[in-house]
Amino acid sequence: MIPSLFVSLKVLAADIPLLLFLGTSIGWILAKKNFRGKNLVYNLIILPIALPPSVVGLYLLMALGRIPYLKEANILFSFTAAVIAPLFPALPIMIQAAKSGFSAVDEKLEAAARTLGDSEFKVFRRVTFPLAKPYIIGGLALSSMRALGEFGVTLMIAGNIPGRTQTLPLFIYSSVESMSFFEANIAAILLTALGIASLLIVKRMGGKA
């Protein structure tokens, strides 16, 4: 179980900065900018939440295995694939949380900061982001746990290779297949505890929003 735990932690360490940066950036654009096709873009971004993981995994498998540049990069069944896989079901959660947070910021406060001569970056740093921060932290907690618990997409494009791409959810799957229920239960309890912790963070941040 320990090697799978380390793989999961390494995947999470790589995914958290990506979730924070991409989720916050895209959420801000969707909340604050108007452009043609915005609703279509939003629906496409959120779509992985509604699709079965096997479907998302199949699309990624075909893309990574057939698109020339991606195929040549040999991403499939590697640690890189294990990092990419959780982003597709987890990132929409982060984007939605960030979008809600930025939409909740009073535009009058931002306009007031601009009248004082603040640049758009300073307005974001001093006004917009601090007010949206509870939503962002809550979204990061939930999306991180979704990434940590990812199973289907990871299995499809990264495989179940012990010590390389086998995360805790895949370890549970393998343990049950081999009738090693004690080890499976230990891993399940660990993931459950982390899930409860993430919900407590969301609840605490929700009280500050």
Side-chain angles (χ1 to χ4, degrees):
M1 186 184 77
I2 300 301
S4 298
L5 175 61
F6 282 142
V7 172
S8 289
L9 292 177
K10 287 193 293 183
V11 167
L12 197 60
D15 280 343
I16 285 179
L18 293 172
L19 288 169
L20 181 60
F21 176 74
L22 294 175
T24 301
S25 301
I26 297 172
W28 180 82
I29 292 171
L30 292 173
K32 296 296 183 180
K33 300 296 181 179
N34 291 314
F35 53 89
R36 189 174 182 179
K38 179 178 177 179
N39 288 334
L40 176 61
V41 171
Y42 174 73
N43 289 330
L44 289 175
I45 288 173
I46 300 300
L47 184 60
I49 294 179
L51 292 177
S54 57
V55 174
V56 178
L58 177 61
Y59 289 152
L60 284 173
L61 184 65
M62 294 175 65
L64 295 173
R66 293 185 178 182
I67 297 176
Y69 176 77
L70 296 177
K71 183 178 180 180
E72 292 168 5
N74 293 321
I75 295 174
L76 288 175
F77 306 110
S78 67
F79 177 75
T80 302
V83 171
I84 293 173
L87 291 176
F88 284 83
L91 189 56
I93 298 172
M94 182 63 201
I95 291 172
Q96 181 59 46
K99 179 178 179 292
S100 298
F102 291 131
S103 296
V105 175
D106 191 343
E107 292 183 357
K108 293 179 180 178
L109 296 176
E110 295 174 315
R114 292 188 188 98
T115 61
L116 296 175
D118 285 350
S119 64
E120 287 298 322
F121 177 74
K122 285 186 178 181
V123 171
F124 177 82
R125 182 169 60 86
R126 295 180 178 180
V127 179
T128 310
F129 184 80
L131 292 175
K133 188 176 178 180
Y135 293 86
I136 293 172
I137 293 178
L140 185 61
L142 284 179
S143 60
S144 297
M145 279 311 305
R146 180 63 185 85
L148 184 63
E150 167 52 35
F151 173 81
V153 182
T154 302
L155 184 61
M156 290 287 285
I157 71 169
N160 186 14
I161 307 171
R164 185 177 177 187
T165 66
Q166 187 185 71
T167 57
L168 278 178
L170 292 171
F171 172 81
I172 293 173
Y173 173 77
S174 297
S175 297
V176 171
E177 273 197 324
S178 62
M179 306 293 287
S180 302
F181 293 109
F182 176 77
E183 292 183 340
N185 279 316
I186 295 297
I189 290 171
L190 177 59
L191 287 174
T192 301
L194 292 172
I196 292 172
S198 71
L199 290 177
L200 290 175
I201 291 173
V202 172
K203 183 177 179 180
R204 184 177 181 182
M205 291 301 104
K208 295 180 180 180

